[in-house]
């Protein structure tokens, strides 16, 4: 072992750098207690006093430590963290500090090992802060049921839906709820990505038994974004076994994904089918009402002073997902605070130009053609055909009207997408549909419905 003064000096510099990078608090808790044992053939050996610290440091700081070591010494290829308990180190004279086991503040009521495997919970993601609407009511009800249940009624609860629609929020809400009501129950929440990472590390550092034990000891296991392990066979295999072990012991499992179980490509058939055995609840794209409700809730919660018109404008135009909707609201509020003036419609349009454009772009003319053809039960090709029969001409006009209303394309551009029609034809279609809408409430409703489906 070369633990001469050069190595000691390198270690001192690395510790100094880490202190700058992670800040005083984290440094004191996690890095100060590390003891350098030495460097052997490019392998840096570091000891920590507890297993918990080893896992935490490995999960959070190992890459950084390795990088800093490599900057100091390019012979270094690995950094290995091992547990040397204070008694052992006293006996061997290594002198590891006997610090008390640190407890992360973000993880109350949990023993340290569990905290090291899980991911922290966002304090804002509670049931109280979740706005319920048609698109998410089933998922919300199912999540609440799981949170309040004393016995397992469906296993797993499988939540799925597009990005930014509230899957993670609901999972954290379950965890917070259980933690508050039953502090002794072990709830473990983590992403599928982190699950895989932990598993790979367990294999590499030969603590697979610890890994298995840990995951099989929880009362509620929640794995977020399970689509991440698509195509990752070994991780799927391990997850499948963990999953079955928990279900066999009547423990609750909650899983989220961006697709339904049957649509998860790259997922082993038995896992896919197993994931669909419990309750599968999807979160639909947002509606105007839900978006407005969320904006109102957030504004009230933070006592933001936002004119109603501005909120309606946001709810109309930021349709992609709730994350972007929140982002737009925050941007407006930040601006208002900065300039010391409340937001009006004009500044909102101005400040959110890029977001709105991105949201508008999401609706394409092809999408409109498809949706309209499907709705009126005509062939997609008839959207561009020369047929003039009312049965196809009317739907075509509706589609042109929607293309004008929902996209930023010009009349000639729209005409060209409908079989090379002239811009005056498109204009005529727009007028015709407007007229019909004002005369016929049923038709109006139909067009509104199509519009809403496309906007979502
Ligand atoms: P996902 O995991 O489905 O991608 P998230 O749960 O991360 O989405 O939600 C994105 C953001 O939108 C979060 O800030 C979350 O709090 C918020 N959000 C989502 N759904 C709702 C809702 N129904 N009520 C209030 N906020 C919500
Ligand atoms: Mg998520």
């Amino acid at each position: 072992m070369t633990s001469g003064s050069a190595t000691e000096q390198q270690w001192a510099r690395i510790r100094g750098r880490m202190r700058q990078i992670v800040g005083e608090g984290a440094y004191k808790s996690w890095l100060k207690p590390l003891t350098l044992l030495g460097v052997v053939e490019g392998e840096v050996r570091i000891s920590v006093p507890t297993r918990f610290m080893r896992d935490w440091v490995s999960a959070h700081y190992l890459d950084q430590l390795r990088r800093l070591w490599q900057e100091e010494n390019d012979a270094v290829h690995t950094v290995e963290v091992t547990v040397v308990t204070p008694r052992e180190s006293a006996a061997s004279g290594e002198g590891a500090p006997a610090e008390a086991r640190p407890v992360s503040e973000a993880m109350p009521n949990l023993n340290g090992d569990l905290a090291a495997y899980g991911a922290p919970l966002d304090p804002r993601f509670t049931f109280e802060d979740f706005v319920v609407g048609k698109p998410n009511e089933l998922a919300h009800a199912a999540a609440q049921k799981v949170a309040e249940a004393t016995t397992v009624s469906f296993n797993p609860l499988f939540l799925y839906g597009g990005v930014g629609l509230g899957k993670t929020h609901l999972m954290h809400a379950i965890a917070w709820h259980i933690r508050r009501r039953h502090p002794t129950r072990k709830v473990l929440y983590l992403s599928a990505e982190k699950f895989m990472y932990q598993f790979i590390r367990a294999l590499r550092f030969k603590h697979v038994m610890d890994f298995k034990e840990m995951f099989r000891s929880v009362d509620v296991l929640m794995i977020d974004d399970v689509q991440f392990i698509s195509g990752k066979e070994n991780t799927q295999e391990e997850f499948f076994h963990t999953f079955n072990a928990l279900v066999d012991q009547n423990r609750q499992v909650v899983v989220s994904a961006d697709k339904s179980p049957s649509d998860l490509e790259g997922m082993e058939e038995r896992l896919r089918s197993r994931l669909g055995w419990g309750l599968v609840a999807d979160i639909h794209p947002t509606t105007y009402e839900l978006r407005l409700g969320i904006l109102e809730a957030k504004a009230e919660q933070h006592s933001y002073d936002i004119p109603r018109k501005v909120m309606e404008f946001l709810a109309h135009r930021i349709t992609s997902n709730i994350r972007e909707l929140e982002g737009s609201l925050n941007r407006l509020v930040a601006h208002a605070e900065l300039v010391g003036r409340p937001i009006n419609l004009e500044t909102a349009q101005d400040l959110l130009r890029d977001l709105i454009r991105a949201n508008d772009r999401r609706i394409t003319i092809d999408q409109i053609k498809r949706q309209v053809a499907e709705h009126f039960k005509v062939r997609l090709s008839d959207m561009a055909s020369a047929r003039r029969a009312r049965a196809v001409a009317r739907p075509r006009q509706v589609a042109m009207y929607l293309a004008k209303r929902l996209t930023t394309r010009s009349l000639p551009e729209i005409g060209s997408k409908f079989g090379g029609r002239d811009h005056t034809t498109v204009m005529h279609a727009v007028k015709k549909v407007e007229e019909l809408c004002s005369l016929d409430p049923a038709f109006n409703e139909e067009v509104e419905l199509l519009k809403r489906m496309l906007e979502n």
Side-chain angles (χ1 to χ4, degrees), residues 338-350:
L338 214 60
V339 302
R341 248 183 296 124
I343 287 295
N344 61 31
L345 198 53
E346 223 183 2
T347 35
Q349 279 167 337
D350 209 40

Side-chain angles (χ1 to χ4, degrees), residues 167-169 189 224-225 256 323:
K167 301 181 296 292
T168 300
H169 189 134
Y189 164 88
D224 206 349
D225 289 319
S256 88
R323 189 171 303 140

Side-chain angles (χ1 to χ4, degrees), residues 87-146:
R87 206 182 312 119
E88 278 174 48
S89 66
S92 67
E94 296 282 8
E99 297 240 338
R101 164 191 268 194
V103 177
S104 164
E105 281 176 5
M107 306 292 287
N109 309 323
L110 284 182
N111 69 56
D113 285 331
L114 199 57
Y117 278 101
L121 299 176
D122 191 316
R124 298 164 309 161
F125 290 3
T126 61
F127 282 121
E128 291 77 47
D129 287 344
F130 192 84
V131 180
V132 185
K134 265 253 147 28
N136 58 26
E137 65 185 358
L138 173 65
H140 173 260
Q144 258 191 335
K145 176 111 204 237
V146 164

Side-chain angles (χ1 to χ4, degrees), residues 210-398:
D210 292 354
F211 174 93
K212 284 184 192 290
E213 237 173 74
M214 171 55 57
F215 277 95
R216 283 158 174 68
S217 75
V218 301
D219 295 301
V220 182
L221 176 65
M222 295 198 263
I223 304 279
D224 206 349
D225 289 319
V226 78
Q227 75 275 1
F228 183 84
I229 60 169
S230 294
K232 319 260 165 47
E233 280 166 35
N234 292 338
T235 305
Q236 275 181 43
E237 169 96 17
E238 184 58 32
F239 177 61
F240 185 70
H241 293 313
T242 305
F243 182 97
N244 285 330
L246 288 171
V247 171
D248 284 348
Q249 298 171 70
N250 224 3
R251 310 282 171 79
Q252 181 72 52
V253 180
V254 182
V255 174
S256 88
D258 63 352
K259 295 182 204 69
S260 74
S262 53
D263 286 339
L264 283 172
E265 281 162 24
M267 213 50 120
E268 242 186 283
E269 178 49 36
R270 58 176 186 170
L271 182 53
R272 254 194 297 180
S273 97
R274 190 63 195 80
L275 285 171
W277 276 11
L279 179 69
V280 177
D282 56 339
I283 306 187
H284 296 274
T286 58
T287 57
Y288 174 75
E289 289 73 26
L290 179 62
R291 293 194 293 273
L292 193 61
I294 287 171
L295 289 169
E296 280 168 347
K298 307 255 174 211
E300 190 184 309
Q301 196 183 336
H302 303 286
S303 350
Y304 295 153
D305 185 17
I306 311 253
R308 173 100 197 153
K309 276 242 158 339
V310 173
M311 293 214 260
E312 286 171 359
F313 168 73
L314 293 183
H316 264 302
R317 303 305 291 273
I318 313 288
T319 55
S320 49
N321 64 50
I322 300 170
R323 189 171 303 140
E324 277 197 6
L325 190 66
E326 274 191 317
S328 66
L329 185 68
N330 291 340
R331 205 193 283 185
L332 296 187
V333 171
H335 179 83
E337 279 171 4
L338 214 60
V339 302
R341 248 183 296 124
I343 287 295
N344 61 31
L345 198 53
E346 223 183 2
T347 35
Q349 279 167 337
D350 209 40
L351 283 169
L352 302 174
R353 199 181 303 263
D354 56 332
L355 264 182
I356 288 164
R357 218 178 294 132
N359 273 272
D360 285 348
R361 239 192 328 243
R362 291 213 171 87
I363 303 179
T364 64
I365 294 181
D366 286 331
Q367 247 172 306
I368 292 172
K369 280 161 54 176
R370 225 177 303 125
Q371 181 90 48
V372 171
E374 195 176 302
H375 177 79
F376 289 104
K377 302 202 170 28
V378 298
R379 282 195 307 258
L380 183 57
S381 59
D382 275 335
M383 286 286 140
S385 78
R387 287 182 62 200
R388 283 157 176 266
R390 165 80 64 88
V392 296
R394 187 71 83 227
R396 194 189 295 133
Q397 285 177 326
V398 170

